[in-house]
Amino acid sequence: MKLLFTTILGLVTLCSCSQEPEPLFEYPLFQNYTEIVKEHNMVYENDFLNLESTSNSETKNWLIKQDSIVKKYYDINGLERFNTHLEEIGNINSPDYYWLKNSSKEYFYWGDNDSTQVLYMGSKSSNIVKPIFSATYDKTIHFYAPNIEGTKFILFVSDENGDYLRVKDIPTGETLFETDKDMNTQQVSYAVWANEDQIIYTGWPNHENSKDSYLAIANITTGKTKTIFSGNKIAEYNNEHFLRPNIRYGSDVLQAVIVNGGEQYNGYNTSLQNIESNPKWKQVMHEKDSVIYYPTERNGIMYFLRYKNGEKTLVKTTVEDISHPGKDIVLFKAENQAVITDYAVTESKIYVITSKYGIDHRLYAIDKNNNAELLNLNYPISGLRFYHTDASLSSIVLLQSSWRENYVFVNVDDSLNIRINNKVTRNTPEEFKNIENDIVEVKSHDGTMVPMTIIKPKNFNTNSSNKAIIMAYGAYGISVEPFYNAAILDFVRNGNVFAVAHVRGGPEKGLKWYTSAIKENKKNSWKDLLSCSQYLKDSGYVNTDKLGVYFASAGGVTAAMAINENPDMFKAAVGEAPMLNPLRLGYQANYNASDNDYDFGTKSTLEGFKSLLKLDPIINLKKNRNYPNTLIISGGQDELVPIYDGAKYIAFLQSQKIKTNNAYLLDVVKDEGHNLSPLETTRKALFFFNNEL
């Protein structure tokens, strides 16, 4: 007994004499200027008000220190080695060739060739492919559109000198038309071919005020342009709207669509015949008409999706009767819990894509007698969308996506011949062939069954080393569509799990699924995420202390509020350009908050303000809590989410404990906007998860 006591005493003495290990991080001290804000006779604390201005020296210095901290983290832990490892696997990108479009006899796509971006043209009837245009990487290509004959193409491009719209002649390479007047590629880059000689495009003279935007027609033969529709002459047009022209090649029916932050627009029509003299515009579509986006015209008939009894329904009617739902001819309704995701019109067919739970897609073709036929693709298909369609063409291009395999481009013609375009489709590396995905339904807090996709190795075995990452979005009625990513698949093939919770706020089960998680009901999104996360733990898919949460953009509200409610659920979190402070967006003059009004609320109304207070992640952060290791990656030029969202969030986490082993990192990619580079950003995210889980 004495010997045992002596041994223990010796151990105690040894431990007491040894020094405590230094914490891994020592974050910079930063003054928190807290503002007490009063709205609608209610008050809230706006922490780190000083970070809302990135121009002051204090904020600039703090951001420089954050750059240094995150760079040191990447260097010490081996981000470069991780990237090299992924490159050795091969085929890590989306396809080398991209942006596939059709003309009547040719197809077009872009490819990267050393220091240039190259536009290629291929013949549909032979294997002949040739380059027709190239641009160095100091120029950014925003948009292109070949004409139906495949003899010319429209190009929106920007460089250090500004933004340009050009029309190029393919046989000669000559520039047929060019303008830099009122171009604004950061906001909208869109033009349509009206016919062989005329294009219609959007002009945007004031970058800060879209109310001055307009539609113009350009004759590429004479070089003459004319404004034909002005936003500032429309009463319901405001600074959150923008204009989009819509016309079928060779048609006389021209549409001016007023695009807003939702999916139901106002629209005006006129005749192209009178466009250069005195066009008379007539409003034929109102937001209240429940038309989704805008119609496609063919031979004087308008085809579009309309909500009927809360379900997306494909209908057709005349131009005059768009505002009269009772006169619709119903062409297609989805069945068996599926929903319509999109439709396309060609010369003689209508195509419809349906989705069940956002993860089981089908393609149908509707003939002139309104008969629908399920096309014989290789089902089940996780993801399917129209990649290029035109009502003047007799074929469509589809993009088929999967969590486990690389992207596949599929051509379908109106004779229903199906062909994979092998030129732009890439193979999946052998290393990823031993991966599968399951679909489960999880009971949420209120008994609602929530679909979840689980990507895992075949013959998956649970053990204490299993890691898992769960992703969720849950906003704007947008689903997380399957996508191919080598960094994620590499994580999975090493015995781990990647899951996607199809939470409420998306479109997976129809309109009600979306609207049941907006404003005051937004909590359903993050509670669905928490329920799915707990399911992964309870079912043995992950060690209880090795679950990470991955989110982006408006998914930041879903994920960060889930963290606020239960920070112990997750060991690590990564956000890409995440929205974390939606309440404050309404105070910023240079940011458009209209997209958020319907989903989250607006500070201008009492109801909207109360909603924002409850769902704003930064407003609802709590002091003296142990938040998970967190990496926020933001774009320094983000036009949708201010850089201070991520900065304020990380500043709060760092302020709780200046010296700590918890990683609270902010990575600002200075020259990028809201759409961060998917390759580089996902690599950083998976590197962080691998390191912290």
Side-chain angles (χ1 to χ4, degrees):
M1 188 69 177
K2 183 178 180 180
L3 179 61
L4 177 61
F5 176 79
T6 304
T7 304
I8 294 175
L9 181 63
L11 286 172
V12 171
T13 304
L14 179 64
C15 293
S16 63
C17 292
S18 64
Q19 293 184 342
E20 288 289 326
E22 285 293 317
L24 296 176
F25 300 95
E26 183 171 352
Y27 298 117
L29 290 170
F30 188 70
Q31 183 68 42
N32 177 8
Y33 293 110
T34 301
E35 175 189 27
I36 306 300
V37 184
K38 185 176 182 180
E39 294 276 2
H40 302 286
N41 294 318
M42 303 173 67
V43 297
Y44 69 91
E45 292 185 3
N46 178 31
D47 283 320
F48 292 101
L49 170 67
N50 37 332
L51 282 174
E52 291 186 10
S53 172
T54 56
S55 60
N56 66 66
S57 59
E58 183 185 28
T59 299
K60 286 181 177 179
N61 290 334
W62 184 82
L63 288 171
I64 290 171
K65 291 177 181 178
Q66 298 304 315
D67 283 344
S68 176
I69 293 169
V70 75
K71 184 179 184 302
K72 184 177 180 181
Y73 177 90
Y74 290 152
D75 290 344
I76 290 176
N77 292 290
L79 176 60
E80 186 174 343
R81 291 194 307 273
F82 181 73
N83 288 337
T84 301
H85 160 71
L86 290 177
E87 289 164 2
E88 289 173 350
I89 296 173
N91 281 335
I92 60 173
N93 279 321
S94 299
D96 278 338
Y97 303 115
Y98 50 92
W99 222 346
L100 180 66
K101 293 189 177 184
N102 277 343
S103 66
S104 57
K105 296 180 180 179
E106 294 82 18
Y107 61 92
F108 299 80
Y109 60 89
W110 287 84
D112 297 328
N113 183 13
D114 296 328
S115 61
T116 58
Q117 310 160 80
V118 181
L119 177 59
Y120 295 90
M121 181 175 73
S123 170
K124 292 181 180 179
S125 59
S126 70
N127 292 322
I128 298 175
V129 176
K130 61 181 181 181
I132 60 171
F133 177 80
S134 64
T136 54
Y137 282 113
D138 59 346
K139 301 182 187 301
T140 302
I141 308 300
H142 297 274
F143 173 89
Y144 87 106
N147 65 351
I148 296 300
E149 293 84 3
T151 57
K152 308 178 183 76
F153 65 93
I154 301 168
L155 189 71
F156 276 95
V157 61
S158 62
D159 58 25
E160 61 182 8
N161 297 314
D163 301 337
Y164 306 88
L165 182 157
R166 295 187 177 118
V167 178
K168 305 287 290 186
D169 182 69
I170 292 175
T172 66
E174 178 186 355
T175 298
L176 302 176
F177 174 81
E178 179 176 1
T179 182
D180 63 354
K181 185 176 185 294
D182 300 337
M183 293 292 102
N184 182 2
T185 57
Q186 293 301 314
Q187 297 291 349
V188 61
S189 307
Y190 193 73
V192 292
W193 287 96
N195 49 54
E196 188 175 0
D197 297 317
Q198 294 175 308
I199 65 170
I200 301 167
Y201 63 91
T202 303
W204 198 308
N206 186 342
H207 286 206
E208 304 299 333
N209 185 0
S210 70
K211 193 169 176 62
D212 292 332
S213 62
Y214 59 84
L215 298 183
I217 188 167
N219 188 307
I220 62 174
T221 302
T222 65
K224 292 182 178 180
T225 63
K226 178 183 179 180
T227 299
I228 56 175
F229 189 94
S230 298
N232 56 23
K233 294 183 179 180
I234 305 300
E236 68 270 20
Y237 197 91
N238 61 49
N239 196 37
E240 281 78 36
H241 294 152
F242 69 88
L243 293 171
R244 180 179 178 126
N246 188 38
I247 188 171
R248 180 176 57 86
Y249 190 83
S251 173
D252 184 50
V253 181
L254 173 61
Q255 302 175 58
V257 182
I258 300 177
V259 179
N260 57 41
E263 59 178 7
Q264 297 170 44
Y265 305 152
N266 292 295
Y268 293 75
N269 279 24
T270 192
S271 168
L272 190 66
Q273 290 183 4
N274 303 320
I275 203 70
E276 294 198 31
S277 55
N278 185 27
K280 295 182 179 180
W281 293 90
K282 178 182 179 182
Q283 186 167 10
V284 297
M285 186 171 68
H286 306 76
E287 289 185 35
K288 63 179 177 60
D289 294 332
S290 297
V291 175
I292 302 170
Y293 302 127
Y294 46 85
T296 301
E297 181 267 339
R298 186 180 72 186
N299 301 327
I301 300 298
M302 310 301 280
Y303 299 84
F304 54 93
L305 296 175
R306 193 195 302 270
Y307 280 117
K308 288 181 174 289
N309 299 319
E311 295 183 21
K312 287 183 182 178
T313 306
L314 179 64
V315 303
K316 70 176 182 179
T317 190
T318 63
V319 175
E320 295 78 14
D321 290 332
I322 292 176
S323 289
H324 300 91
K327 296 185 178 182
D328 290 346
I329 296 175
V330 174
L331 298 177
F332 189 89
K333 291 181 67 175
E335 298 177 345
N336 300 322
Q337 296 183 297
V339 296
I340 297 175
T341 62
D342 205 354
Y343 78 103
V345 179
T346 59
E347 276 188 328
S348 61
K349 290 285 194 297
I350 313 292
Y351 297 90
V352 182
I353 295 175
T354 67
S355 170
K356 186 174 181 179
Y357 302 162
I359 42 186
D360 182 7
H361 290 75
R362 298 283 189 271
L363 176 67
Y364 295 84
I366 302 172
D367 63 21
K368 61 182 180 181
N369 297 318
N370 300 340
N371 296 315
E373 176 183 351
L374 176 65
L375 298 194
N376 187 25
L377 299 181
N378 187 24
Y379 301 115
I381 295 175
S382 299
L384 190 67
R385 65 182 175 92
F386 295 115
Y387 197 78
H388 182 240
T389 69
D390 193 296
S392 299
L393 294 174
S394 59
S395 63
I396 58 173
V397 179
L398 298 158
L399 179 64
Q400 184 175 319
S401 59
S402 166
W403 298 110
R404 299 176 289 111
E405 296 176 340
N406 218 324
Y407 297 101
V408 176
F409 288 90
V410 181
N411 288 280
V412 180
D413 64 32
D414 283 357
S415 297
L416 303 186
N417 297 308
I418 300 170
R419 178 178 61 86
I420 293 176
N421 191 320
N422 291 312
K423 182 62 181 176
V424 292
T425 295
R426 298 188 69 189
N427 295 325
T428 302
E430 288 296 323
E431 290 89 341
F432 301 151
K433 294 294 179 68
N434 197 36
I435 291 174
E436 62 184 7
N437 61 271
D438 292 340
I439 299 170
V440 300
E441 286 201 280
V442 178
K443 183 180 289 188
S444 191
H445 69 105
D446 58 358
T448 300
M449 301 304 292
V450 180
M452 179 165 62
T453 301
I454 301 174
I455 302 102
K456 60 185 178 61
K458 292 179 180 178
N459 304 316
F460 176 76
N461 294 314
T462 60
N463 60 63
S464 60
S465 64
N466 291 145
K467 303 174 183 178
I469 301 167
I470 188 168
M471 172 183 277
Y473 188 70
Y476 308 138
I478 297 174
S479 63
V480 180
E481 294 187 355
F483 59 90
Y484 173 84
N485 187 280
I488 292 173
L489 294 179
D490 183 64
F491 175 80
V492 172
R493 77 176 179 120
N494 286 309
N496 303 309
V497 166
F498 187 86
V500 180
H502 304 281
V503 301
R504 279 172 281 185
E508 285 81 358
K509 292 188 177 183
L511 181 62
K512 187 176 180 181
W513 191 255
Y514 164 39
T515 57
S516 63
I518 61 174
K519 295 179 182 173
E520 67 274 7
N521 293 318
K522 189 64 197 168
K523 64 182 180 181
N524 286 329
S525 294
W526 68 76
K527 287 183 178 293
D528 288 353
L529 172 58
L530 287 170
S531 296
C532 289
S533 300
Q534 190 62 52
Y535 175 90
L536 292 175
K537 293 184 176 184
D538 293 344
S539 302
Y541 283 103
V542 60
N543 178 296
T544 56
D545 194 36
K546 293 189 176 184
L547 177 62
V549 61
Y550 194 12
F551 50 96
S553 192
V557 173
T558 298
M561 284 303 296
I563 293 171
N564 283 352
E565 185 163 314
N566 187 356
D568 295 330
M569 178 66 75
F570 308 105
K571 179 70 178 297
V574 177
E576 297 180 5
M579 179 187 293
L580 298 168
N581 203 188
L583 174 58
R584 295 298 300 171
L585 193 63
Y587 294 86
Q588 311 307 316
N590 295 330
Y591 285 88
N592 182 351
S594 66
D595 283 1
N596 305 325
D597 293 353
Y598 186 76
D599 271 63
F600 306 132
T602 171
K603 72 180 184 67
S604 62
T605 68
L606 175 60
E607 179 189 42
F609 178 71
K610 286 181 177 179
S611 171
L612 285 168
L613 273 182
K614 291 179 181 179
L615 60 79
D616 188 297
I618 287 179
I619 297 296
N620 288 283
L621 283 167
K622 297 291 189 293
K623 295 179 180 178
N624 303 316
R625 300 184 77 179
N626 189 31
Y627 286 94
N629 299 286
T630 302
L631 169 65
I632 300 296
I633 307 173
S634 299
Q637 307 299 320
D638 195 324
E639 68 283 5
L640 298 180
V641 177
I643 188 176
Y644 70 70
D645 268 41
K648 290 169 73 173
Y649 191 82
I650 291 299
F652 183 93
L653 300 188
Q654 290 181 355
S655 70
Q656 299 306 291
K657 202 170 186 181
I658 297 300
K659 293 185 178 182
T660 179
N661 288 328
N662 286 5
Y664 299 133
L665 308 176
L666 176 65
D667 182 355
V668 178
V669 187
K670 293 182 176 58
D671 296 328
E672 294 195 20
H674 190 66
N675 295 318
L676 296 164
S677 167
L679 175 62
E680 181 180 343
T681 307
T682 310
R683 284 184 182 183
K684 289 177 178 177
L686 270 294
F687 168 75
F688 185 81
F689 282 126
N690 272 304
N691 201 50
E692 298 301 330
L693 292 179

